[in-house]
Amino acid sequence: MSSTVSKGRIPSTLRQFLDSEAAGGLVLMAAAAIAIIVANSPLSEGYFALLHIHIGPLGLQHWINDGLMAIFFLLVGLEIKREMLDGQLSTWSRRILPGAAALGGMLFPALFYLGFNHDNPAALRGWAIPTATDIAFALGVLSLLGNRVPASLKIFLAALAIIDDLGAVIVIAVFYTEQLNIIALAAAAIVIGNLIILNRSGVRSLVPYLALGALLWVLVFASGIHATLAGVMLALTIPLKVTPGKPEASQQQSPLHRLEHLLHKPVAFIIVPIFGFANAGVSFAGVTVSILTEPLTLGVAAGLFLGKLVGVLGTVTLLVKTRLADLPAAATWGQMAGVAILCGIGFTMSLFIGLLAFSDPDIQAHIKMGILAGSILSGVIGAGVLLVCKPRAR
């Protein structure tokens, strides 16, 4: 991701494939746009009927959201582990600025949402919807701006989004788990124990990890915890360390690296766009200005657009002014403001949390409208700010 990666260190997928990640964001944008067009065309009835076709015990949309997205979360977990142990977040000095900005960027969107919905107890369950940044979308927008944005800001945004994803995973596990099947949960814990044993025993073949991972998904699904979290649990047990005595370059042969590279393009170009197509379809039939001004819609949109700006830029300003951290190299305050606004693009994870928070289709429609409005505003205005900001003189 950065040309300044130290010699001899294998760059993480997040850095090495920044262009592909950005391209994946563009594909996701296209998939979401197509879904909206189809949902408001003569094909809409077939579109919604297709999503509810049952394949075995689950409908197609559930297989996408619970099954395919577990692979997305597996990649997220691999990237989190890779960056924490051997990447852009491997030292505390590197974690401070994006870490604090990510926390601020989760807190303030939630506060904005609660501010609009504090008098509606039923709506409070959706407080986490505007807290997550969509890394694929945000990097997709940055890719359109080329070298007008310094590499340091791209690294900052990617690191922030990774920590943001970790926060979202914790939120889903803690706040969106309703009933637990203790037996299934205990069996899942046994599987995780076996995965750890494989790791400690130096097993480098991916086959046993993936086989146990499939079993883990079934057990986590049965336990009541959202099944996608099985992907994160599996990721954290995949070995990263190299065989002692081998050169550092052999890190690229570690099981984590191999799986990360194997999954990156299918997730970016197939799984996430399928999720976007299956969930972004909002019918505008009957949509009026009153729906756009409903507290639910406004809370999500304001949380994404204003909450992320205040949370991210405010936190960065506080840390830089108190000299606890430095502004990313070659970046201006205007560019930092533009990136902070781009953090309000919350499409994938926001949709995911929204579907967990509310099962009522009418409420989901309000949530989707808020996500689309907030994300579009953040993308367009954030890109506009970055376009008009002059790069720092070198």
Side-chain angles (χ1 to χ4, degrees):
M1 178 172 168
S2 170
S3 60
T4 60
V5 177
S6 57
K7 184 177 180 181
R9 170 173 289 181
I10 301 301
S12 73
T13 294
L14 191 63
R15 294 194 298 273
Q16 190 175 0
F17 293 113
L18 179 60
D19 290 340
S20 293
E21 186 81 65
L26 299 179
V27 173
L28 175 57
M29 292 180 197
I34 292 171
I36 294 172
I37 292 170
V38 171
N40 293 278
S41 74
L43 300 174
S44 61
E45 187 175 340
Y47 168 78
F48 291 111
L50 176 64
L51 294 176
H52 291 91
I53 288 178
H54 266 68
I55 303 173
L58 300 175
L60 178 59
Q61 189 170 29
H62 276 106
W63 277 116
I64 293 170
N65 293 350
D66 291 9
L68 280 183
M69 287 301 283
I71 302 174
F72 165 78
F73 274 85
L74 171 58
L75 180 60
V76 167
L78 292 171
E79 289 183 336
I80 289 171
K81 180 173 180 176
R82 173 65 172 85
E83 290 293 329
M84 286 289 187
L85 296 182
D86 188 45
Q88 200 57 39
L89 302 174
S90 59
T91 64
W92 283 108
S93 61
R94 291 179 174 181
R95 296 171 189 163
I96 289 174
L97 190 65
L103 291 176
M106 295 185 74
L107 174 62
F108 281 89
L111 292 176
F112 271 85
Y113 178 91
L114 293 173
F116 279 96
N117 294 280
H118 66 277
D119 57 351
N120 182 357
L124 298 182
R125 182 170 168 77
W127 66 270
I129 294 170
T131 61
T133 295
D134 191 307
I135 185 172
F137 254 124
L139 289 178
V141 172
L142 278 185
S143 73
L144 299 176
L145 301 173
N147 58 10
R148 293 188 63 86
V149 181
S152 63
L153 273 182
K154 297 177 183 178
I155 294 171
F156 168 81
L157 176 59
L160 183 152
I162 284 177
I163 297 171
D164 193 289
D165 281 344
L166 176 60
V169 168
I170 294 171
V171 165
I172 291 169
V174 174
F175 295 99
Y176 294 101
T177 298
E178 296 181 351
Q179 295 181 339
L180 289 177
N181 181 325
I182 301 300
I183 295 176
L185 194 61
I190 292 173
V191 172
I192 293 172
N194 280 279
L195 285 165
I196 293 173
I197 290 172
L198 288 177
N199 182 307
R200 297 290 186 183
S201 301
V203 175
R204 297 175 62 81
S205 170
L206 286 171
V207 174
Y209 292 99
L210 296 180
L212 285 175
L215 176 60
L216 180 63
W217 181 89
V218 173
L219 293 170
V220 172
F221 179 85
S223 74
I225 297 175
H226 201 274
T228 52
L229 297 183
V232 178
M233 298 175 196
L234 172 61
L236 298 181
T237 67
I238 303 296
L240 172 63
K241 292 182 180 179
V242 297
T243 303
K246 288 191 175 183
E248 188 176 356
S250 67
Q251 283 193 55
Q252 66 183 10
Q253 299 303 319
S254 75
L256 187 144
H257 278 87
R258 297 202 310 271
L259 186 56
E260 194 178 3
H261 286 265
L262 180 69
L263 291 178
H264 184 269
K265 289 187 177 179
V267 167
F269 294 106
I270 300 174
I271 291 175
V272 172
I274 287 175
F275 173 82
F277 180 77
N279 291 282
V282 181
S283 175
F284 296 133
V287 172
T288 63
V289 175
S290 62
I291 293 179
L292 297 175
T293 57
E294 289 282 339
L296 266 173
T297 310
L298 284 175
V300 173
L304 288 170
F305 179 59
L306 297 176
K308 283 290 185 180
L309 171 60
V310 173
V312 173
L313 185 59
T315 303
V316 169
T317 301
L318 178 64
L319 289 178
V320 172
K321 295 301 182 183
T322 56
R323 298 185 178 181
L324 293 175
D326 296 323
L327 201 64
T332 66
W333 279 107
Q335 290 173 326
M336 176 57 74
V339 168
I341 296 171
L342 285 185
C343 289
I345 302 175
F347 190 78
T348 306
M349 198 68 81
S350 292
L351 275 177
F352 193 82
I353 295 174
L355 296 173
L356 291 178
F358 301 108
S359 58
D360 187 310
D362 290 334
I363 295 179
Q364 288 182 357
H366 284 73
I367 295 300
K368 289 179 181 180
M369 290 295 293
I371 292 171
L372 288 172
S375 296
I376 290 171
L377 274 175
S378 298
V380 172
I381 295 179
V385 170
L386 289 168
L387 277 173
V388 300
C389 285
K390 293 182 179 180
R392 178 180 290 178
R394 301 183 184 184

